[in-house]
Amino acid sequence: MSFPLLTATAVVPAVGAVATAALPAAKRTAAKWVALSFSLATFVLALVIAIRFTPGAKGPFQLTESHAWIADFGVRYELGVDGIAVALIALTALLIPFVILAGWHDADPLEETRPNRRWRPTQGFFALILAVEAMVVISFEATDVFLFYLFFEAMLIPMYFLIGGFGDGAGEHGEEQAATQRSYAAVKFLLYNLAGGLIMLAAVIGLYAATADQLGAGTFSLPQIVEARAAGHLHLGAGTERLLFLGFFFAFAVKAPLWPLHTWLPNAMGESTSPVAVLITAVVDKVGTFAMLRFCIQLFPEASKWATPVILILALISVLYGALLAVGQRDIKRLIAYASISHFGFIILGIFAMTSQGQGGATLYMVNHGISTAALMLVAGFLISRRGSRLIADYGGVQKVAPVLAGTFLIGGLATLSLPGLAPFVSEFLVLVGTFSRYPVIGIIASAAIVLAALYVLVLYQRTMTGPVKAEVRKMPDLRVRELVVVAPLIALLLFLGVYPKPLTDLVNPAVEHTLSVVDKQDPKPDVHVDATTGGSRPGHATHGDDAEAAK
Amino acid sequence: MENLIALLVAAPLVGAALLLCGGKRLDRAGHWIGTLLAVASFAVAAVLFADMLGKSAGDRALHQHLFSWIPVGGFRADLAFQLDQLSMTFVLLITGVGSLIHIYSIGYMEHDERRRRFFGYLNLFLAAMLLLVLADNYLLLYVGWEGVGLASYLLIGFWQHKPSAATAAKKAFLVNRVGDVGLSIAIMLMFTTFGTFAFGPVLAATGDTGEGKLTAIGLMLLLAACGKSAQVPLQSWLGDAMEGPTPVSALIHAATMVTAGVYLITRSGAIFNAAPDAQMAVVVVGAVTLLFGAIVGCAKDDIKKALAGSTMSQIGYMILAAGLGPIGYAFAIMHLVTHGFFKAGLFLGAGSVMHGMNDEVDMRRYGGLRRYMPVTFITFGLGYLAIIGFPGLSGFFSKDKIIEAAFAKGGTEGWILGGAALLGAAITAFYMTRVMLMTFFGEKRWDPQEVHPHESPKTMTIPMIVLAVGSVFAGGLFSINDAFVSWLEPVTSFEHGHSPLSATATTTATIVVLLVGAGLAWLMYGRKPVPAVAPRGSLLTRAARRDLLQDDFNHVVLVRGGEHLTRTLVYLDHSLVDGAVNGTAATMGGLSGRLRQLQSGFVRSYAVQMLGGAAVLVAATLLMRGV
């Protein structure tokens, strides 16, 4: 038996979490380094996965592991990755070290106000982050629906404590009020997601019942169900399939989050520290959109097509609504949260447009949004920690005193508004073109977000960074070395993937083709047949255009 | 030879990277590095140009394929370049004028503590603009298109401690983005229509495509052109963009970036030729803007804003010409090049005046400066003669051809367009004479105690002289044996227009309206002293001072309306959406009461509840086994 690479990638951060949590109170600094080391080790393993993975190889999943687990009711410990999962595992493993580094001092203030000796905030903070990472990774790997569900739900626990337990000390009305708002945000996060999860649970059980009924033995295995379906052994019936689909989709839509289930996100991202906000939007929420692609569409292809019109409309509303609300925010972090809602709208739009550009773009969007939001949010966190306020109006003229901070903030912002040359442009354009080719009107309306994104980003930049220097920011220090180490690689990556996204598209394309083949959807054909190979891109030949023009 | 193309873009790109990431170490040498790389790019362009001239007209186009950029399904975007006669013309203009303006900026920005960064942005602009004109497909063009928008944003807001500059920069980017939406929809339409958006296949396939699709693509491209080239109705950003340092106004907002719309339409000629309705929209936009800009230019007392109005108007001429189809493309580009010379020269002259006048921009506080800055006066004067179309100078040749082509459109349209173009020429002569008289002639309207006008240093005057030479001779040179038209013909194609007026009649009319316009300006601003405070003026003057109320319109409709919308939505999101979801939850399970309990509860109790949830889960699953 070969080395269980996928298991190892989830176990390493889990072990890291335990190791970090076990360190005594005095070993605060050591705890940080231990957490960082484990997160880096996980990243190395994620890279190994990416290298061992062969894009386009036969079969939907690779590096599979399969063990009987709860044999009594068909639950298996079954892991496997496709290109989409590999990309998202890599994203997660990449971001966690930056999250840890950015949050290096986030738990320090709590050390002074420790209620008792047993509670060790620093150890707790970093252990929880690693615990989330472990659960997210295994959610991306699980091909058994039940296994997936278990961790999809379980990650709420560490997330809940991360949101409720650690603030940025920048509340508008003092720390006491902030603590109340924080616990409100944490509970809201928990209740929304639990509600989604409970409905999904019913659907999970329903799926088991259906398979048990028709296949003889109940199963949660995604590949088995897909195969049985394709072979004609499994007919869910339109009504059942739709109900099950809705159960799954509801949970993922809460997590994603899709309008109108989005309201927990601004609270959660606003109240938590910015590394945790990154964890929420760049990592945990991606499980929702990922699961739409992997489970909703592949388990319930007919119902997916049935629900498409409504989902597209909701996604379109998310795109515009999120952007418009971002324009109206006074709080930097809530602004970024609403921008994320708009971006998640794009991702869902791409997924349900059911074209290779749409779904490929949506997958790229998940990765790129993760990197760009991390860059913007973490720099925003550095800014907020310097001034002790999240309100946009409390800033002004920062670029004069901290030009590097302002510059990185601008680049993060430009990535958020999908400037060509940076990675998010590639994915946003693919989603738009993929949507447009099947639903032109929706594609055109969604394009309005191109303008709105520029509006909320540039207004944010203008109000905080330009203009006369406010007295309160006059002594603001520029980025420190640790902070630069966090931001610089993210920016480099945004540039690289903007200019050369091919490694990512090569990884993702076969997986998207597989998904589309499960749903039996083909890309719309162009109206006019053009032989693109004779076009202008080959060296040494005059283009058709020139010939035609010259002939006139 | 084609492998050199990438170098054109790479040189300034490396410069930008070095200067923007290099830190303080490069402060002392930064401007030299930036200038050197701009000149290097020009040198490469010159080599490629010489090579191109050595080949026969049919196979001058070069292609360089670097790598596959975004391959997803049938969607293939390549990082590939195409250098043909049209691109070459732009490359020479961009790197040539760009290098001169780099040199000028060494002097102009000498005392600015952020000079290194300024040169970094200028290099970034050059790279993006070259990418725009060298791309071999629309998506890569889009990268350059937004890239120049970014550079423009950074440079307009270069003095961002000034709130007005920061606001102007944001406005320029936003208005441009509205145009960019047009470009992106055009690309999507091309993809669904042709399955590709590379120039070669798309432009070759227009014959097999329905006119409706082509008209839609054409209109979207026009929207993009309106944004970038400051054409009505997306013109409002250009005047404010004058907040940027003057070399920026010269390079980006006069000579190169703002002409990108003309490039886009000319490049997409095959699409427009097959879509007469889209062409009609183009000429209307051009004609309206050429008058709009000219009228605004008459009322401005700020020298740069007067010139900005003029830029808008001159680009209106180019767009008009481009909308006329094969009878106009070559003249649009010819006017674009000559305009590049004289307008860049005029702006650099204005910068030189400001440099000597403590950054004063109000022409009512100038006067009689010809004695204090002779070089600036002469070079500016030559640019002035060129732009008004004084016989023998550059503008005369290029503008005259456009007026002729406008008449040649034929029918009533031809008369209207030709008349508008002629009227525009008269107004041009008026406002430019006004600028000239208020700045260099008449009484001093400044305080000699405070202001000490002086000639600018050599780094500034030499570029002005070079541009003045171009302003004088370029048009004439291009017209010998129709050299410029035959150079571009393989790309843009060319047809002779048949004007109802004879060439002599058109030329005579052009000269007459020029004299009328200039004479009128002399009566108003030359014969009698210019008041130092602007008189109230007629209704039209007051409207023109406010850019014909465009901003007031935008403010009421877009800004106020938008603010109300977002405020309402923020309120509704909190009260309605959040409330409804919470309310549903509350009615369903009394959750809100429990929510309060939970909040006040202990951490431990959550854990217990979660555990309980998990237990229920397992139990339920076990039970289901029996089903």
Side-chain angles (χ1 to χ4, degrees):
Chain A
M1 202 187 101
S2 62
F3 179 72
L5 188 55
L6 297 186
T7 303
T9 314
V11 165
V12 166
V15 171
V18 174
T20 310
L23 284 172
K27 301 271 183 198
R28 272 205 282 155
T29 315
K32 295 175 183 177
W33 284 105
V34 167
L36 183 63
S37 316
F38 273 95
S39 71
L40 287 172
T42 314
F43 178 59
V44 171
L45 283 172
L47 282 185
V48 176
I49 293 182
I51 293 165
R52 294 266 310 273
F53 183 83
T54 326
K58 223 169 155 278
F61 297 111
Q62 296 180 35
L63 305 171
T64 48
E65 296 169 28
S66 183
H67 305 282
W69 184 23
I70 313 175
D72 279 348
F73 49 110
V75 176
R76 295 183 66 83
Y77 178 79
E78 208 175 71
L79 304 180
V81 286
D82 57 3
I84 300 171
V86 172
L88 289 171
I89 292 168
L91 169 76
T92 306
L94 171 88
L95 288 180
I96 300 295
F98 295 123
V99 164
I100 290 176
L101 260 182
W104 206 246
H105 297 300
D106 280 5
D108 291 359
L110 292 172
E111 292 287 346
E112 280 121 50
T113 56
R114 261 192 296 160
N116 59 53
R117 305 190 116 256
R118 280 182 27 227
W119 172 231
R120 289 158 291 159
T122 306
Q123 281 82 342
F125 184 67
F126 292 103
L128 287 169
I129 292 176
L130 286 174
V132 172
E133 179 178 23
M135 296 183 197
V136 169
V137 166
I138 209 151
S139 310
F140 286 139
E141 294 171 345
T143 54
D144 184 282
V145 177
F146 190 86
L147 185 67
F148 168 82
Y149 176 75
L150 207 60
F151 287 100
F152 179 77
E153 283 297 282
M155 75 178 82
L156 297 178
I157 303 169
M159 277 319 299
Y160 168 79
F161 288 109
L162 279 171
I163 296 169
F166 304 87
D168 59 9
E172 206 179 328
H173 308 288
E175 184 48 31
E176 201 166 316
Q177 176 93 24
T180 319
Q181 283 174 350
R182 211 155 49 226
S183 60
Y184 173 75
V187 172
K188 194 169 173 183
F189 162 83
L190 193 67
L191 289 184
Y192 268 68
N193 283 283
L194 270 182
L198 280 175
I199 292 175
M200 184 180 164
L201 176 63
V204 168
I205 295 165
L207 180 69
Y208 176 80
T211 52
D213 190 34
Q214 294 192 22
L215 301 177
T219 177
F220 289 106
S221 162
L222 172 70
Q224 265 188 41
I225 295 174
V226 170
E227 209 172 296
R229 225 193 135 85
H233 302 313
L234 184 67
H235 296 284
L236 287 178
T240 320
E241 186 179 333
R242 286 171 190 180
L243 275 177
L244 295 181
F245 170 85
L246 288 178
F248 276 68
F249 184 79
F250 185 74
F252 304 149
V254 169
K255 188 80 97 197
L258 179 68
W259 187 91
L261 304 169
H262 64 277
T263 53
W264 64 269
L265 187 76
N267 284 85
M269 279 177 74
E271 301 305 328
S272 54
T273 73
S274 46
V276 173
V278 170
L279 205 59
I280 298 171
T281 187
V283 177
V284 171
D285 285 354
K286 297 288 151 45
V287 183
T289 44
F290 165 81
M292 288 180 194
L293 259 177
R294 177 173 273 187
F295 295 108
C296 276
I297 291 189
Q298 301 197 28
L299 286 174
F300 316 111
E302 291 311 316
S304 300
K305 284 188 255 186
W306 162 75
T308 293
V310 177
I311 293 174
L312 286 177
I313 298 292
L314 292 178
L316 182 63
I317 294 175
S318 279
V319 166
L320 298 177
Y321 188 88
L324 280 170
L325 269 120
V327 175
Q329 295 304 311
R330 305 183 305 133
D331 175 313
I332 299 174
K333 285 160 91 177
R334 288 180 69 93
L335 187 151
I336 300 173
Y338 277 105
S340 282
I341 290 169
S342 176
H343 290 151
F344 277 107
F346 270 113
I347 296 174
I348 297 171
L349 209 55
I351 292 175
F352 282 89
M354 310 252 188
T355 54
S356 48
Q357 290 81 36
Q359 291 192 346
T363 309
L364 256 60
Y365 212 125
M366 291 186 222
V367 175
N368 295 336
H369 169 261
I371 304 170
S372 67
T373 306
L376 183 65
M377 192 65 172
L378 292 178
V379 180
F382 301 149
L383 180 73
I384 290 166
S385 69
R386 282 162 166 72
R387 168 77 174 80
S389 168
R390 297 199 294 260
L391 289 185
I392 296 169
D394 283 346
Y395 296 85
V398 172
Q399 72 85 29
K400 190 95 180 160
V401 287
V404 179
L405 191 154
T408 50
F409 192 65
L410 181 62
I411 297 176
L414 292 173
T416 303
L417 64 78
S418 299
L419 187 84
L422 297 171
F425 168 72
V426 176
S427 35
E428 187 161 305
F429 197 82
L430 281 172
V431 166
L432 280 173
V433 94
T435 309
F436 181 87
S437 61
R438 189 157 278 150
Y439 308 98
V441 177
I442 294 181
I444 289 174
I445 299 174
S447 301
I450 296 179
V451 179
L452 292 174
L455 185 60
Y456 61 71
V457 166
L458 295 184
V459 168
L460 173 65
Y461 183 80
Q462 184 190 356
R463 298 213 174 127
T464 51
M465 299 297 171
T466 71
V469 183
K470 279 228 165 125
E472 295 87 348
V473 305
R474 190 152 288 147
K475 295 226 174 79
M476 191 176 272
D478 212 334
L479 286 191
R480 301 181 179 88
V481 175
R482 170 180 62 86
E483 295 167 332
L484 258 182
V485 169
V486 172
V487 181
L490 292 175
I491 289 178
L493 209 59
L494 284 172
L495 277 166
F496 177 77
L497 290 177
V499 177
Y500 196 64
K502 202 159 169 291
L504 216 50
T505 54
D506 285 349
L507 189 64
V508 166
N509 284 341
V512 166
E513 270 166 42
H514 170 77
T515 313
L516 286 174
S517 72
V518 172
V519 218
D520 195 24
K521 276 269 189 184
Q522 265 137 23
D523 287 350
K525 289 266 175 293
D527 306 349
V528 180
H529 179 72
V530 176
D531 189 3
T533 50
T534 58
S537 59
R538 294 288 162 273
H541 295 285
T543 67
H544 271 202
D546 291 349
D547 291 343
E549 298 279 354
K552 278 179 191 166
Chain B
M1 199 44 80
E2 59 266 11
N3 292 332
L4 286 179
I5 300 176
L7 211 55
L8 287 169
V9 183
L13 195 61
V14 167
L18 270 177
L19 296 179
L20 294 177
C21 306
K24 290 206 165 52
R25 274 159 295 172
L26 291 177
D27 272 355
R28 286 180 53 206
H31 47 288
W32 291 112
I33 297 174
T35 309
L36 201 72
L37 285 162
V39 174
S41 190
F42 177 65
V44 176
V47 170
L48 283 162
F49 180 55
D51 176 68
M52 199 178 258
L53 284 180
K55 294 186 197 160
S56 68
D59 48 37
R60 279 177 171 161
L62 292 176
H63 297 271
Q64 183 183 15
H65 185 264
L66 289 184
F67 54 83
S68 167
W69 176 32
I70 313 177
V72 175
F75 185 95
R76 314 233 154 244
D78 291 338
L79 198 69
F81 297 127
Q82 166 180 324
L83 182 71
D84 58 8
Q85 290 89 327
L86 180 60
S87 307
M88 192 74 236
T89 311
F90 272 88
V91 167
L92 287 171
L93 177 74
I94 295 159
T95 55
V97 176
S99 298
L100 289 174
I101 284 170
H102 273 75
I103 296 169
Y104 178 92
S105 305
I106 296 175
Y108 192 84
M109 300 299 284
E110 193 176 354
H111 304 295
D112 198 298
E113 52 175 350
R114 291 157 73 234
R115 179 162 66 165
R116 169 178 57 87
R117 190 183 287 221
F118 180 79
F119 276 83
Y121 292 161
L122 275 190
N123 270 204
L124 179 68
F125 168 76
L126 282 190
M129 188 73 204
L130 289 166
L131 184 65
L132 194 165
V133 298
L134 286 169
D136 95 327
N137 62 73
Y138 283 96
L139 197 67
L140 193 60
L141 177 146
Y142 189 38
V143 177
W145 189 267
E146 286 231 319
V148 292
L150 170 68
S152 162
Y153 168 79
L154 293 169
L155 285 164
I156 295 170
F158 186 71
W159 290 315
Q160 42 178 256
H161 53 273
K162 288 199 307 194
S164 57
T167 309
K170 181 189 69 187
K171 181 174 174 186
F173 196 94
L174 279 176
V175 177
N176 266 290
R177 270 246 151 168
V178 176
D180 296 351
V181 170
L183 185 52
S184 88
I185 293 176
I187 298 173
M188 294 193 266
L189 269 167
M190 285 177 202
F191 177 69
T192 53
T193 311
F194 307 108
T196 172
F197 35 80
F199 291 150
V202 167
L203 299 176
T206 49
D208 315 330
T209 314
E211 196 185 311
K213 276 277 169 65
L214 292 175
T215 305
I217 295 175
L219 290 176
M220 287 297 114
L221 291 174
L222 174 63
L223 179 64
C226 284
K228 199 56 85 195
S229 295
Q231 301 292 294
V232 174
L234 297 179
Q235 80 292 2
S236 68
W237 62 273
L238 187 63
D240 295 352
M242 298 299 124
E243 286 288 340
T246 308
V248 172
S249 315
L251 177 61
I252 301 184
H253 305 118
T256 55
M257 183 190 85
V258 285
T259 59
V262 184
Y263 172 78
L264 184 69
I265 293 176
T266 309
R267 174 59 79 197
S268 317
I271 295 173
F272 285 96
N273 294 345
D277 291 345
Q279 269 186 324
M280 194 43 146
V282 175
V283 290
V284 168
V285 164
V288 168
T289 311
L290 84 85
L291 292 175
F292 186 104
I295 292 170
V296 170
C298 293
K300 293 286 181 183
D301 290 332
D302 178 325
I303 186 169
K304 287 180 71 181
K305 292 203 168 166
L307 289 177
S310 159
T311 303
M312 206 185 276
S313 164
Q314 296 300 314
I315 298 172
Y317 274 104
M318 301 170 207
I319 295 278
L320 167 64
L324 296 172
I327 60 171
Y329 293 131
F331 300 130
I333 302 299
M334 181 157 133
H335 192 55
L336 190 155
V337 174
T338 58
H339 175 259
F341 284 115
F342 56 69
K343 187 52 70 58
L346 287 169
F347 265 111
L348 293 191
S352 176
V353 170
M354 287 160 58
H355 199 68
M357 296 289 288
N358 294 353
D359 287 329
E360 178 62 69
V361 289
D362 186 353
M363 292 188 288
R364 292 187 184 276
R365 298 179 174 280
Y366 292 169
L369 291 175
R370 68 180 184 283
R371 261 163 304 179
Y372 302 88
M373 341 182 150
V375 181
T376 306
F377 168 61
I378 292 171
T379 52
F380 194 94
L382 291 172
Y384 156 73
L385 292 175
I387 191 175
I388 63 172
F390 193 81
L393 276 72
S394 286
F396 169 74
F397 293 100
S398 49
K399 200 190 290 176
D400 197 41
K401 291 288 185 197
I402 294 181
I403 296 173
E404 219 180 297
F407 278 113
K409 170 95 176 160
T412 326
E413 294 154 42
W415 286 102
I416 294 172
L417 294 173
L422 267 180
L423 180 60
I427 308 177
T428 307
F430 174 83
Y431 67 73
M432 281 311 300
T433 309
R434 176 176 174 267
V435 169
M436 199 64 198
L437 290 172
M438 286 175 83
T439 307
F440 293 103
F441 292 87
E443 315 248 309
K444 298 175 195 169
R445 293 180 298 276
W446 35 275
D447 183 358
Q449 303 293 322
E450 287 175 17
V451 191
H452 307 283
H454 54 84
E455 189 54 88
S456 300
K458 286 255 162 22
T459 48
M460 290 170 66
T461 52
I462 289 172
M464 285 154 57
I465 294 168
V466 176
L467 288 170
V469 171
S471 312
V472 174
F473 297 111
L477 273 177
F478 291 163
S479 300
I480 299 173
N481 292 334
D482 285 332
F484 196 82
V485 172
S486 22
W487 158 256
L488 277 184
E489 200 191 337
V491 184
T492 60
S493 72
F494 179 71
E495 284 167 22
H496 271 288
H498 300 287
S499 169
L501 289 175
S502 70
T504 333
T506 320
T507 310
T508 318
T510 322
I511 296 173
V512 169
V513 298
L514 184 166
L515 292 175
V516 170
L520 203 63
W522 183 78
L523 284 178
M524 289 172 68
Y525 300 95
R527 219 175 46 147
K528 48 187 185 192
V530 178
V533 178
R536 193 154 175 274
S538 68
L539 205 62
L540 179 65
T541 315
R542 273 179 284 149
R545 274 188 203 133
R546 295 180 68 90
D547 301 313
L548 297 178
L549 308 179
Q550 55 188 11
D551 280 330
D552 305 81
F553 175 82
N554 289 349
H555 189 79
V556 171
V557 177
L558 297 174
V559 180
R560 287 262 198 79
E563 275 172 4
H564 282 299
L565 178 65
T566 51
R567 257 188 235 140
T568 317
L569 280 179
V570 169
Y571 173 75
L572 288 182
D573 190 56
H574 188 71
S575 61
L576 204 72
V577 182
D578 201 12
V581 178
N582 284 348
T584 319
T587 42
M588 274 168 63
L591 274 178
S592 71
R594 240 171 273 168
L595 203 136
R596 241 172 279 123
Q597 276 176 14
L598 273 169
Q599 263 172 275
S600 56
F602 294 103
V603 165
R604 236 174 270 129
S605 72
Y606 303 137
V608 171
Q609 285 166 36
M610 291 301 290
L611 208 71
V616 171
L617 191 156
V618 174
T621 325
L622 282 170
L623 273 176
M624 280 304 292
R625 209 177 132 246
V627 177

